[in-house]
Amino acid sequence: MNKSTPRPYLCLLAAIFFWPLVVGMARGEVLVGSDADGPMVSFAIDRARLPDTVVVEVARDASQPPQGFEITREASGAWRVVGSDDYGLMYGVLDLGESLRLGLDPVKKARPAIHRRGLKFNIPMDARSPSYDDSGDSARRNIPEVWDREFWHGFLDAIAEHRYNVLTLWCNHPFTTMVELEDYPDVAIPDVAVPAYEVDDWELIQYRKARLQEPGQYEVVKPMSMPEKIEHWRHVMRYAKDRGIDIYFITWNIWLHGAEGKYGISYDQADPDTVAYLRESMKQMVLTYPDLKGFGVTAGEHMNKKLEGEHSVENWLWNTYGEGIVEALAEEPGREFDFIHRVWYTGVDHMMEPFIDKYPGPIDVSFKYARARLYAMPDPPFFNEQLRDQVERNDLRCWMNLRNDDIFNFRWGDPDYTRAFLQNLPPEPTLAGFYMGSDGYVWGREFTSTEPQTPRQLEIDKHWYRFLLWGRLGYDPSLDRSFFEAKLAERFPDVDAASLYSTWQSASKIVPLINQAHWRDWDHQWSVETCMSKKEGYHSVDHFIEFGPFRESGMVSIPQYVESPDAPGLNPFAVADRLDAIADEVDAGLASLRDESTTPTKELRRTLADLSAFAHLGRYYADKLRGSTEVHRFRVAGDPDAQAAAIDHLESARDHWEAYGQVASSLYEPQLLARVSYTDWLGRLLDFADADIDLARNAQPGVFPPSMLHSVGH
């Protein structure tokens, strides 16, 4: 409100807003009611970038829905933001500032479609305290970042603006780096260390166990006492809470990094010393961090499923984590502490009596909704097939773990796919919320750009469009093309936003189509960006013959098509034609965009190059599908024309891979991906594309790899 506002109007507002405080901002002025003031509103005011002449009145109204807001225009010209809680007020002020910047109508009422919208962050705490798989370069390079306040400030500010309100941090055993235990003083890990050993691409880091603690296995990069570490995480959690973000930690079991071999603690599930240690660790975790919203567990790949009685998996989890939380809450009566029990290596029926029925506070389950393939189909069937009936029958809520282990390097952005995916999630209250992230990648700072900035760019800023889509459409799925075009125009004013929107969306259709055509459930089985897997090596034409499309994709596998060319469904050649058609759309859009912007910004230039990489990748897989089909036809029928066609298609595929690799290598340095090996596009991966050609040349009629015999009726 400006200084010329008449005194009677000020008095009226004071009566309405409980003696409000006028806060002068660098841009605009905001009138904040005493019942609406707080850190979340202050954050929104600071980030809204309101124009100089704007006056905003902020007030609370209990009739608004949770996290909802209403923006109206007063007769005086002032804008009025009303929300029922701090979330609604924060989102309303952010929305007002954004609408004014983008030239959109700010007048609206909004409420969240999904109330808990989160990210999954596998957090590499230390070389001696890894997350699930820290063998990749992104984990190793980001260890110092997770102990840097500036990293967290930028990261948390960004996810709050994207309307996420949950952050789940995943670590095998965070306790040795986060709490001090009076009865176990020697388990604490001082300082911050990075790995000093040679990475074994085939070994999960956590299986090194005690070896991680040995001299020569790590290098200290930041001296830090345990009190300093605790203060660091208290600051991070408070900073998150002031932006409306609830933090949870989630573990795998049994892992004891830093504690094994001390005080009788061992990996023996029946060891009472281990149970007592973990119970005390969980208790002190709750008491040490008053802003920690909750905790989650996994029944674990590393537990003995055969033990029964009090040493069974579920009883062990209760005797450690459950009892630890109960003891902590007894010292803090009135505190509510959430729990998330993952449905992994266990089942709802096994969880109920030993754990869920005993827990004194809010408790939900969690499920891998898309397995490891977030970018495959917008309506994965797994939850409805495997868990929905159990969840609803037991009156539970389920978090959906949205695992992106498909796209790490290139910028993705398809609003329609994102919206459809989120709208296909089960409705609340069956749905507890979602958290999106990866097991094979750490979304901290990027460390592969060939044109790096200092400090290194946050991944959430590089991939701003993708993170924005899942957060904003999770809150408001009604946001339409005009909104996203306005966001693109704000970010890239030198090109036509409509053309960029369409080109980006077309490029983003390529990976989901490939994933459906060559379906692999889990991250270690398949990487679209490298055509590699850790356990199976390069995905040659034989992989594409043996491992067909997703069962509900409407596609016909290569063996089915060769046996019955008229079988109903999308055959491999039709899929290939569709990939080429999409690539044509992308290339045409890129040509137009590059003509428009003769001197693009670095971000625009690299964004367009990412989209070009997608197009080359689509053309590669198109010819690989054709070549694989012709190889199989030649083996089945012995037609030499089929062999010649296979060689032609695979030679073309090889050229497309080289073009793809040239674009990718111009943008990103090679890196080791934790679950699927190296992104050496123009080295070993190009050699593998050559090997496909040799495979076609050496194919023989009637001779099939042993694993493929079932595909041809043998």
Side-chain angles (χ1 to χ4, degrees):
M1 181 159 300
N2 59 44
K3 294 181 180 179
S4 62
T5 303
R7 184 176 299 275
Y9 187 53
L10 281 176
C11 293
L12 176 60
L13 288 174
I16 295 174
F17 297 116
F18 302 97
W19 304 105
L21 170 67
V22 177
V23 182
M25 306 299 297
R27 292 186 177 184
E29 288 187 278
V30 182
L31 181 68
V32 182
S34 60
D35 63 340
D37 197 9
M40 292 168 66
V41 176
S42 297
F43 164 74
I45 294 169
D46 183 57
R47 303 287 287 195
R49 290 180 282 160
L50 295 166
D52 295 336
T53 59
V54 166
V55 177
V56 184
E57 304 159 7
V58 178
R60 193 185 300 271
D61 181 351
S63 67
Q64 294 292 325
Q67 300 184 41
F69 63 86
E70 182 175 10
I71 301 174
T72 57
R73 190 78 180 268
E74 301 292 292
S76 65
W79 293 98
R80 192 165 188 261
V81 178
V82 177
S84 67
D85 53 25
D86 288 343
Y87 291 90
L89 295 172
M90 177 176 68
Y91 297 148
V93 172
L94 289 172
D95 202 283
L96 173 63
E98 178 182 66
S99 296
L100 293 172
R101 291 196 313 275
L102 301 182
L104 304 175
D105 183 5
V107 175
K108 68 173 65 175
K109 294 183 69 172
R111 65 170 62 200
I114 299 172
H115 283 81
R116 294 196 281 185
R117 307 164 300 279
L119 295 179
K120 174 186 188 292
F121 190 110
N122 278 23
I123 186 165
M125 301 289 256
D126 194 283
R128 300 157 291 175
S129 179
S131 186
Y132 183 71
D133 185 353
D134 284 359
S135 62
D137 290 341
S138 65
R140 295 158 69 88
R141 298 291 296 274
N142 272 292
I143 288 173
E145 302 301 325
V146 304
W147 298 97
D148 178 20
R149 286 189 179 186
E150 293 308 309
F151 163 75
W152 288 109
H153 291 176
F155 180 73
L156 293 167
D157 286 350
I159 67 175
E161 286 199 67
H162 292 328
R163 310 304 192 263
Y164 297 100
N165 58 5
V166 169
L167 176 62
T168 59
L169 301 175
W170 298 54
C171 182
N172 289 328
H173 189 73
F175 306 114
T176 47
T177 60
M178 292 188 67
V179 295
E180 288 188 298
L181 305 178
E182 183 176 341
D183 294 336
Y184 306 90
D186 294 337
V187 304
I189 297 176
D191 306 322
V192 177
V194 298
Y197 46 80
E198 187 70 25
V199 172
D200 181 347
D201 188 22
W202 299 94
E203 180 184 43
L204 292 176
I205 297 299
Q206 65 261 36
Y207 284 98
R208 289 175 176 264
K209 297 179 186 174
R211 283 177 290 164
L212 296 175
Q213 318 299 321
E214 295 172 359
Q217 293 285 300
Y218 61 89
E219 175 189 356
V220 172
V221 293
K222 184 175 184 177
M224 208 171 187
S225 67
M226 282 305 296
E228 289 173 327
K229 288 186 171 185
I230 290 170
E231 178 54 33
H232 170 77
W233 286 112
R234 284 176 174 168
H235 173 84
V236 170
M237 292 180 198
R238 171 56 61 174
Y239 195 90
K241 186 173 182 178
D242 288 348
R243 282 142 186 78
I245 301 165
D246 292 330
I247 287 186
Y248 297 73
F249 270 82
I250 299 180
T251 67
W252 291 267
N253 294 286
I254 303 171
W255 302 109
L256 301 164
H257 301 298
E260 66 273 25
K262 303 171 183 175
Y263 305 101
I265 300 167
S266 71
Y267 281 92
D268 181 358
Q269 196 166 308
D271 185 348
D273 292 325
T274 301
V275 171
Y277 159 71
L278 276 165
R279 182 189 300 129
E280 182 64 16
S281 295
M282 187 68 251
K283 175 183 177 181
Q284 293 305 319
M285 186 82 166
V286 177
L287 296 176
T288 301
Y289 298 105
D291 292 321
L292 181 63
K293 178 63 174 176
F295 208 86
V297 297
T298 310
E301 291 91 338
H302 195 219
M303 299 188 73
N304 187 340
K305 315 303 184 296
K306 297 179 181 179
L307 292 182
E308 299 179 351
E310 68 172 305
H311 303 310
S312 69
V313 169
E314 290 298 334
N315 281 323
W316 185 91
L317 291 171
W318 177 258
N319 292 334
T320 53
Y321 295 97
E323 290 285 3
I325 293 171
V326 168
E327 290 180 11
L329 296 182
E331 297 185 22
E332 294 188 343
R335 180 177 177 182
E336 188 174 86
F337 194 79
D338 296 353
F339 201 87
I340 299 173
H341 195 318
R342 297 184 64 207
V343 184
W344 186 245
Y345 284 90
T346 186
V348 170
D349 292 340
H350 296 290
M351 296 154 56
M352 292 304 297
E353 189 276 330
F355 200 111
I356 292 177
D357 288 343
K358 297 178 183 176
Y359 192 73
I363 183 167
D364 303 316
V365 296
S366 170
F367 182 74
K368 292 181 181 178
Y369 181 75
R371 300 200 170 168
R373 305 293 168 212
L374 179 58
Y375 298 105
M377 67 208 80
D379 55 348
F382 311 115
F383 177 72
N384 289 336
E385 292 175 347
Q386 299 174 23
L387 199 66
R388 184 165 187 164
D389 178 67
Q390 298 175 57
V391 168
E392 294 180 346
R393 176 163 31 90
N394 288 285
D395 197 25
L396 296 171
R397 300 181 303 177
C398 186
W399 285 91
M400 300 305 167
N401 182 354
L402 308 186
R403 282 270 302 278
N404 165 32
D405 287 294
D406 304 306
I407 303 171
F408 302 137
N409 294 280
F410 308 111
R411 295 166 173 88
W412 184 93
D414 183 349
D416 292 338
Y417 179 94
T418 307
R419 184 186 298 105
F421 192 105
L422 292 169
Q423 290 181 326
N424 280 318
L425 293 175
E428 297 174 347
T430 300
L431 179 69
F434 72 83
Y435 38 77
M436 175 187 69
S438 307
D439 259 8
Y441 201 78
V442 175
W443 296 98
R445 293 192 187 274
E446 70 79 24
F447 286 97
T448 62
S449 173
T450 55
E451 301 176 83
Q453 64 185 44
T454 304
R456 288 277 187 167
Q457 188 178 28
L458 295 174
E459 292 277 13
I460 199 169
D461 289 339
K462 174 194 168 184
H463 295 279
W464 68 274
Y465 192 40
R466 175 163 61 85
F467 281 99
L468 176 144
L469 291 178
W470 291 94
R472 297 300 295 273
L473 289 170
Y475 182 90
D476 182 4
S478 72
L479 294 174
D480 59 13
R481 176 169 179 153
S482 64
F483 169 78
F484 294 109
E485 286 186 4
K487 293 293 288 186
L488 293 174
E490 179 185 39
R491 190 93 172 196
F492 305 111
D494 295 336
V495 293
D496 178 64
S499 178
L500 180 56
Y501 177 99
S502 297
T503 304
W504 206 331
Q505 184 174 52
S506 293
S508 300
K509 293 178 180 178
I510 289 171
V511 165
L513 186 56
I514 296 167
N515 265 334
Q516 289 189 56
H518 180 63
W519 175 258
R520 305 311 317 276
D521 291 87
W522 306 115
D523 49 359
H524 64 274
Q525 295 176 325
W526 164 239
S527 163
V528 180
E529 291 180 321
T530 64
C531 202
M532 267 293 285
S533 64
K534 238 180 190 181
K535 290 190 175 180
E536 297 163 359
Y538 179 61
H539 278 224
S540 66
V541 297
D542 283 341
H543 282 87
F544 276 72
I545 298 168
E546 182 176 4
F547 298 104
F550 184 70
R551 54 186 165 79
E552 294 187 5
S553 65
M555 298 178 184
V556 178
S557 72
I558 289 173
Q560 289 172 325
Y561 173 71
V562 170
E563 181 179 346
S564 303
D566 295 325
L570 204 63
N571 66 53
F573 287 103
V575 174
D577 290 345
R578 183 173 292 184
L579 285 168
D580 276 338
I582 295 172
D584 287 342
E585 293 174 6
V586 177
D587 286 342
L590 290 173
S592 174
L593 290 164
R594 285 168 173 154
D595 285 344
E596 285 183 59
S597 180
T598 55
T599 56
T601 63
K602 183 174 84 171
E603 182 180 21
L604 177 60
R605 172 170 49 80
R606 294 179 70 86
T607 297
L608 298 183
D610 275 356
L611 306 188
S612 177
F614 277 133
H616 288 302
L617 190 64
R619 295 190 191 282
Y620 164 75
Y621 282 112
D623 273 323
K624 192 181 185 82
L625 283 169
R626 295 184 183 107
S628 301
T629 305
E630 296 291 7
V631 166
H632 194 61
R633 192 203 305 273
F634 173 67
R635 286 170 172 165
V636 170
D639 182 356
D641 289 340
Q643 185 179 34
I647 293 170
D648 286 344
H649 287 309
L650 293 171
E651 287 178 339
S652 178
R654 187 264 182 209
D655 292 342
H656 290 311
W657 185 272
E658 184 173 23
Y660 165 65
Q662 287 173 346
V663 174
S665 298
S666 72
L667 298 169
Y668 308 111
E669 302 289 347
Q671 67 170 312
L672 173 62
L673 294 174
R675 311 296 290 146
V676 290
S677 199
Y678 290 92
T679 59
D680 185 11
W681 289 291
L682 292 177
R684 185 173 57 151
L685 297 182
L686 183 59
D687 292 340
F688 288 144
D690 286 325
D692 272 346
I693 302 170
D694 291 337
L695 187 153
R697 286 186 176 130
N698 296 325
Q700 298 180 40
V703 178
F704 305 91
S707 63
M708 206 179 296
L709 294 179
H710 69 278
S711 300
V712 291
H714 289 259

